Each structure stands twice: as structure tokens, then as C-alpha cells.
Amino acid sequence: MQDNSVTKTAKLTIDGKEFDLPIYSPTLGPDVIDVRKLYAQANVFTYDPGFTSTAATDSSITFIDGDKGELLHRGYPIDQLAEKSHFLEVCYLLLYGALPTALELDDFESRVTSHTMLHEQMMYLFRGFRRDAHPMAIMVGVVGAMSAFYHDSTDITDPWQREVASIRLIAKMPTIAAMAYKYSVGQPFVYPRNNLDYASNFLQMCFSVPAEDYEVNPILSRAMDRIFTLHADHEQNASTSTVRLASSSGANPFACIAAGIACLWGPAHGGANQACLEMLREIGTVDKIPEYIARAKDKNDPFRLMGFGHRVYKNFDPRAKVMKQSADEVLDLLGIHDNPTLQVAKELEKIALSDPYFIEKKLYPNVDFYSGIILDAMGFPTSMFTPIFAVARTVGWISQWKEMIEDPAMKIGRPRQLYCGATARDYVDVENR
Ligand code: SDX
């Protein structure tokens, strides 16, 4: 982990008593005040519901500058990776900290490829779900159940088993997501094909049928690969923090990733891509936009503009910028011109970004605003949008999990609270209540 050398000291005075708190400086971003000894020294907790100002860990994987709208993976800007790299190379970068040589990349890709099939017995798990089950419900269940099938990679104290579990999860998530989709549409499962690249393989597992040949459209597989890259990792977001907290108890990696999938599902997080496209469809036409903007601004209306706003980005989400270009490209190359949903999205973005409410609250389109338009054009139902996010984010969850497990200072996460409940009182028998 980073060498936390004290650069400055913060002085805290409570009831006339002064406490010195060490301050560490990161390579990028704000300094941090170390409050680990505060409770022991001053008998007080810090208070930060939602962790808006709390650094829960050291990390060297991803850095976001919310004001500049910058996203770095091991120092490499996301727009360069999206343009010049590809998803499995980004996976290597996130996992091992450096861009691979050609030989290292070839070895990594063949290791992932040789783990793409799912244990045959796991097919029966899918049959336990209703056909109309949300694919995210299936993914939470099936990924968690991997703990019951891959016993030789659940011991987190064994580096070799950790490595195998990481490769298995990256390799099998597309297979599981595709199976969840096939199950929902009543089509037979399609096995992975090892002669295809990661994104092409996912598309063929989703859209090919035994009754005819299937040619992967290179435009779609390039767009699919780029969508995976744009969703790969994002610092200590809610689902990553869930994976870290679950892993801190020593739970096996499959159970922890299942917890991350469950958290990602929420509409405030990874579920926003599905909610955003459904919102754009509900708006339907450009003339309806003002009504929805008014609702988003109305304090008494719980409606929020899905795909807008972010805890960290107070400027454009760089991923949204790349996604917007990609949406234009893909629709154009597919010959889908004046797509009504894309028109509504662009007009909504334009109107919102000139509205004082959104300007003042620094609300910009996030990664979920345009992704749904591309996925929809590819033929995915909205219910598959968040599973695709989960496929991509698995490498981020695993990389952060690996970083935490390998940290000798790791301890179980256990936040405290500001208790505002009843003080101690005696039990009252029911006849006396
Ligand atoms: C992801 O953390 C990550 O990195 C996540 C992610 C990743 O890659 O892992 O980037 C992926 O989850 C992207 C976000 C997807 N979610 C959505 O698009 C849902 C809509 N967005 C909002 O729910 C909201 O913006 C959040 C949840 C994303 C962020 O919420 P915060 O940081 O807790 O901000 P907030 O809710 O305190 O809002 C601040 C103000 C509030 O108004 P006030 O109470 O100050 O008057 O802005 C308003 C909010 O009402 N606001 C919105 C809004 N988002 C915030 N108003 C209308 N529409 C919105 N979308």
C-alpha cells in the first residue's frame, strides 16, 4: 500500500482539549486526515452518512477528478483507453497495474478464454427461476452459487486460488449474463466460442441461435468492447464498496461479487441505465421535455432525471462523452438515423445543461445517459442493461478486492453510528402495556 508519510497535521479542539491528527498527501486528489485514533484519544466518532467526505481505503487503481471530469485507470485516461486499448487489455491493467507486453496479453487472453464455460450442472439453477425473472436476480443467484461449484478457488489466503477465482469471474460473467438473457426469451443457451474475442463472444452467446449461422457485426463488437471498457472500474462507488466490505470478513470472492451485483442493481447506481432509457421512452418526444425537467426540479416530486448527476463528477462524466460519440457512430453505421430516443436524449441534455437548476447543482450526464441508446440499437432489452454493466464492472470489483486482500493492514470493516434511539429501559409485560 502507499507509504502514508505525514505531510501536515490537523489540530482539533474539543472542550478546550487539542488533538493532533496526521494528514497524508496522495499522488492525486485531496489530502486526507487520519482519524483512526480519534475515538481512542477523544472519545468521539466522525459523522459522514453516505461517505461524501470519507476515504475508506488507500488505492492505486483508479482516480477520478470530479471537477476536471477526468478518469484515470492506473494513470491512463479513460478516453485514450477507450480509443486505443480493448477490454481484456484494460482488465490486465486494472488487475496487475501495468499495460501488458504482447506476450503477457496473449497469455492473459488465453487464460480468460479457457475459463469461459460454466459448470454444466449450473444450468439447472436457471431453470429454478421464472422466465420473466429480471436477469439481475438470476445473476445475483448464479454468481453467488459459483461458491458451491468452484471449491478449488474459494480460499482467499491462497494467491493461486485468488488468481483462478479472478480469471473465472472475468471469463464467466458474459456467459452467465448471456444465459440469463437466453432464459428470459425462451431460447436455448449458447456455448462460448474460444475463437472469438471477448465482446464478440458475448454477442454470439446472446444473439445466435442453433437454427442458423451467426456473423458478429464488427461495428457492434467494437462498440460492445468499448462499453465494457467504459464501465470497468470507478474508485470506491457503492457496489465496489459493497464488495470490499463483504470481502473484509473473509467471505469467498464469488459471494462478494454477488453482493456487488446486488448493490449495482439499484436505480441510483447501475440500474440507472435501464431507468434512463425507460425515462427517455416515456418522454417520447422533444416537446414533452420541459414537463420532465420541471418534475426533476420539483422538491415534492421524487422523480429524478435518470442518467444525470453524480456523487463525484461535478463536470461532464468523461465516459458519457465517449459514449455519446459512440452512440452517434453506431447508430450511423447501423443506418439508424434520427432515432427518436437519441433525439430526445440530445435535446434533454441541451435543455438541462442550460437550466439554472442543473448548472447550480452541477448535474451533468453520467455514464448511464447514452449507454442505453447503444445497447438498445444492438438489440438488447432494457432488462439486460445492468447485467452488461455488471459484466464490465466485475474486473473493477475483482481488482479492488485483490488490492484489499493483498494489503497486510486489511481489517474487517465495521462503521460506527450516531445513536438516537431509546436509552436503557425495563421490559413491560404485555398485560401492562
Ligand atoms: C453510477 O459512484 C459512482 O462512481 C457510480 C458510477 C460508477 O461507475 O460506479 O458512476 C455509476 O451509479 C452513475 C449514477 C447513475 N445514477 C443516476 O443516473 C440516477 C440519477 N442520479 C441521482 O440519483 C444522483 O445524481 C446520484 C445518486 C447519482 C448522486 O447523488 P448524490 O451525490 O447523493 O447527490 P444528491 O442526491 O445529494 O443530489 C444533490 C442535489 C439534490 O438536490 P438538493 O437536495 O441539494 O436540493 O442534486 C439533486 C438532488 O435532488 N439531484 C438531482 C439529480 N441528481 C441529483 N435532481 C434531479 N435529477 C437528478 N438526476
Side-chain angles (χ1 to χ4, degrees), residues 223-224 226-228 230-231 269-277 280 306-307 317 319-328 330-331 341-342 345 365-382 384-386 388-389:
M224 188 77 258
R226 183 174 291 171
I227 287 176
F228 286 147
L230 293 171
H231 288 81
H269 190 15
N273 51 18
Q274 172 173 351
C276 180
L277 194 84
L280 292 172
M306 302 316 284
D317 180 334
R319 302 168 298 174
K321 225 176 248 177
V322 179
M323 205 70 87
K324 182 176 177 181
Q325 286 158 7
S326 209
D328 277 331
V330 170
L331 293 183
T341 315
L342 182 58
N366 57 50
V367 69
D368 296 307
F369 192 64
Y370 285 103
S371 55
I373 291 165
I374 305 174
L375 295 173
D376 176 52
M378 287 178 170
F380 288 105
T382 54
M384 277 300 290
F385 290 5
T386 310
I388 288 168
F389 194 150

Side-chain angles (χ1 to χ4, degrees), residues 15-323:
D15 300 335
K17 224 171 149 217
E18 204 171 79
F19 301 93
D20 287 349
L21 300 173
I23 291 179
Y24 310 129
S25 296
T27 44
L28 288 171
D31 286 350
V32 298
I33 300 174
D34 183 345
V35 294
R36 284 176 292 185
K37 295 196 171 68
L38 183 62
Y39 176 52
Q41 289 169 346
N43 196 35
V44 293
F45 295 145
T46 57
Y47 183 65
D48 185 16
F51 309 120
T52 47
S53 307
T54 293
T57 182
D58 308 14
S59 182
S60 53
I61 300 172
T62 292
F63 175 74
I64 301 169
D65 184 321
D67 295 327
K68 283 198 248 170
E70 188 181 59
L71 166 57
L72 306 177
H73 287 319
R74 303 285 189 179
Y76 297 97
I78 189 64
D79 47 336
Q80 290 184 32
L81 293 173
E83 193 203 323
K84 297 177 177 162
S85 185
H86 64 276
F87 182 64
L88 279 190
E89 183 175 74
V90 172
C91 287
Y92 186 99
L93 174 65
L94 289 169
L95 276 169
Y96 306 116
L99 286 172
T101 62
L103 220 56
E104 288 165 336
L105 181 59
D106 193 42
D107 168 63
F108 179 72
E109 291 189 339
S110 56
R111 280 191 293 138
V112 171
T113 303
S114 60
H115 280 279
T116 48
M117 285 177 66
L118 202 61
H119 189 296
E120 195 70 1
Q121 190 82 10
M122 293 190 83
M123 279 192 189
Y124 300 106
L125 292 172
F126 289 80
R127 307 217 184 286
F129 290 93
R130 285 174 38 153
R131 287 282 179 176
D132 60 355
H134 194 292
M136 284 297 276
I138 297 177
M139 289 189 77
V140 171
V142 173
V143 172
M146 287 174 76
S147 328
F149 284 85
Y150 296 104
H151 297 113
D152 61 343
S153 59
T154 50
D155 176 359
I156 62 161
T157 62
D158 177 348
W160 183 85
Q161 292 199 36
R162 295 203 300 266
E163 177 73 10
V164 172
S166 305
I167 298 293
R168 275 182 169 145
L169 278 158
I170 293 167
K172 295 181 197 307
M173 280 296 275
T175 310
I176 294 166
M179 289 170 78
Y181 170 60
K182 283 305 201 188
Y183 187 73
S184 72
V185 293
Q187 289 182 357
F189 296 138
V190 174
Y191 286 104
R193 296 197 52 75
N194 289 351
N195 62 324
L196 294 176
D197 64 70
Y198 195 86
S200 303
N201 202 5
F202 177 62
L203 291 175
Q204 77 89 17
M205 288 191 285
C206 288
F207 297 125
S208 76
V209 287
E212 55 194 47
D213 293 339
Y214 176 80
E215 268 303 296
V216 178
N217 179 328
I219 300 159
L220 298 189
S221 64
R222 178 70 194 128
M224 188 77 258
D225 189 272
R226 183 174 291 171
I227 287 176
F228 286 147
T229 295
L230 293 171
H231 288 81
D233 189 50
H234 215 236
E235 286 191 0
Q236 309 309 318
N237 58 84
S239 53
T240 298
S241 300
T242 301
V243 171
R244 278 182 172 261
L245 195 56
S247 311
S248 71
S249 74
N252 76 71
F254 305 112
C256 297
I257 298 301
I261 295 171
C263 176
L264 185 76
W265 194 359
H269 190 15
N273 51 18
Q274 172 173 351
C276 180
L277 194 84
E278 286 163 357
M279 174 194 74
L280 292 172
R281 282 190 178 144
E282 189 188 325
I283 295 173
T285 51
V286 169
D287 60 315
K288 288 279 190 57
I289 290 175
E291 172 198 329
Y292 283 83
I293 295 263
R295 283 190 56 199
K297 292 158 62 174
D298 178 356
K299 275 262 152 277
N300 303 317
D301 188 333
F303 173 78
R304 287 197 164 179
L305 225 43
M306 302 316 284
F308 253 77
H310 199 276
R311 172 63 58 78
V312 177
Y313 289 121
K314 299 308 169 194
N315 193 323
F316 224 91
D317 180 334
R319 302 168 298 174
K321 225 176 248 177
V322 179
M323 205 70 87

